[in-house]
Amino acid sequence: MLSVENLTKQYATRGEPLDVLRGVSFTLESGQNTAILGPSGSGKSTLLSIIGGLEEPTSGTVALDGQNPNKLDELALAAFRNVHVGFVFQEHYLLPQCSVLENVLIPTVAAGKTKREAVERAKSLLERVGLSERIEHRPAELSGGERQRAAIARALVNKPTLLLADEPTGNLDRTNADRIGRLLLDLQKQEGMMLLLVTHSERLAALMSRRLELDEGVLKEMLNDDC
Ligand code: ADP
Ligand code: MG
């Protein structure tokens, strides 16, 4: 379970400090998926970075599987992130010189998985994202949608309990964006993990079971369209 309590984030600027998050609280139960909607600049990436332990909050707490990532020292935090959290961004960040399979295997090295177990998991994920025919390709030899699917397989290779997705369809056309949205949901259900997705796309957010809106630094529950 993920529990976020009263998070604030203030950035120092030359003039007035910038209050990006002004007290964000919510919980995500195991096996749940949620979208956080908000326009560009509303603090979505900041919130996700804090939850994933990439950035520190100004105040407030995050608890993931009973641990607060922001309380861990650098080494422990890196290890925690590697095992508990998967990240998917708008950019795929695949290494250009490595094959698709090698890219998916990279997080398993630090996690100390045995080679055979890791390769089996990577291949099975690549099959589930529809890339079994592409495992020896380099990222440059893939389409945009395929690169994003490889990045998703890489994010899941260590079986994270929480998948964080930051505008995962931002670089894709509508057909591929829909495909990636549905794929993320299918994988979330199969793996029984939590999925927290932030986006400005109402279309993508509509696929998720719960929608929250980041507005002026606070989160609001969004009403379902169908009620
Ligand atoms: P979103 O992902 O919703 O587009 P961000 O979380 O990236 O929004 O940014 C929220 C606001 O915080 C923006 O106004 C941005 O300019 C500002 N911001 C983000 N990172 C920093 C930083 N490191 N220093 C100062 N301001 C920042
Ligand atoms: Mg962003």
Side-chain angles (χ1 to χ4, degrees):
M1 172 180 162
L2 169 71
S3 160
V4 171
E5 249 177 83
N6 218 6
L7 276 192
T8 71
K9 181 70 181 183
Q10 186 177 67
Y11 286 118
T13 66
R14 282 180 199 202
E16 287 281 294
L18 185 64
D19 288 303
V20 178
L21 305 176
R22 299 165 184 262
V24 169
S25 303
F26 71 98
T27 56
L28 195 57
E29 305 288 338
S30 347
Q32 263 195 339
N33 65 72
T34 292
I36 294 180
L37 267 158
S40 172
S42 58
K44 302 182 300 297
S45 296
T46 303
L47 176 60
L48 230 53
S49 302
I50 294 172
I51 291 171
L54 295 172
E55 216 176 311
E56 282 190 27
T58 304
S59 67
T61 55
V62 174
L64 174 59
D65 301 334
Q67 285 204 68
N68 182 347
N70 305 114
K71 286 269 187 296
L72 301 172
D73 67 38
E74 215 167 303
L75 262 181
L77 176 60
F80 179 81
R81 252 197 325 252
N82 189 39
V83 177
H84 292 260
V85 189
F87 287 96
V88 180
F89 301 97
Q90 183 168 343
E91 303 293 332
H92 54 79
Y93 298 116
L94 297 169
L95 299 179
Q97 71 276 28
C98 294
S99 71
V100 166
L101 181 60
E102 285 162 350
N103 267 287
V104 173
L105 283 169
I106 289 168
T108 68
V109 178
K113 295 262 161 71
T114 61
K115 187 109 203 293
R116 217 182 89 219
E117 186 196 348
V119 171
E120 270 172 28
R121 167 82 177 157
K123 283 188 172 165
S124 135
L125 278 166
L126 283 167
E127 191 181 336
R128 283 150 69 194
V129 302
L131 289 180
S132 26
E133 308 292 307
R134 301 279 186 280
I135 66 175
E136 297 302 336
H137 281 54
R138 306 274 171 247
E141 299 160 352
L142 299 178
S143 72
E146 286 170 341
R147 281 196 279 266
Q148 197 59 322
R149 285 188 264 145
I152 292 170
R154 181 188 52 190
L156 297 187
V157 74
N158 284 337
K159 296 196 170 111
T161 48
L162 173 64
L163 179 63
L164 298 174
D166 189 346
E167 301 281 10
T169 61
N171 287 346
L172 303 174
D173 57 69
R174 188 186 262 215
T175 307
N176 277 293
D178 287 350
R179 219 176 264 167
I180 291 289
R182 282 196 303 270
L183 177 65
L184 284 170
L185 262 188
D186 286 347
L187 290 167
Q188 182 257 318
K189 300 221 161 76
Q190 289 165 18
E191 298 279 307
M193 63 187 172
M194 296 176 277
L195 169 63
L196 181 62
L197 181 151
V198 302
T199 182
H200 66 271
S201 162
E202 306 245 354
R203 196 179 160 89
L204 176 61
L207 293 174
M208 303 295 135
S209 338
R210 181 169 65 143
R211 282 168 294 283
L212 303 169
E213 188 175 22
L214 196 51
D215 181 23
E216 305 282 325
V218 294
L219 269 187
K220 294 178 183 161
E221 201 85 32
M222 285 181 81
L223 296 173
N224 283 328
D225 297 339
D226 46 87
C227 65

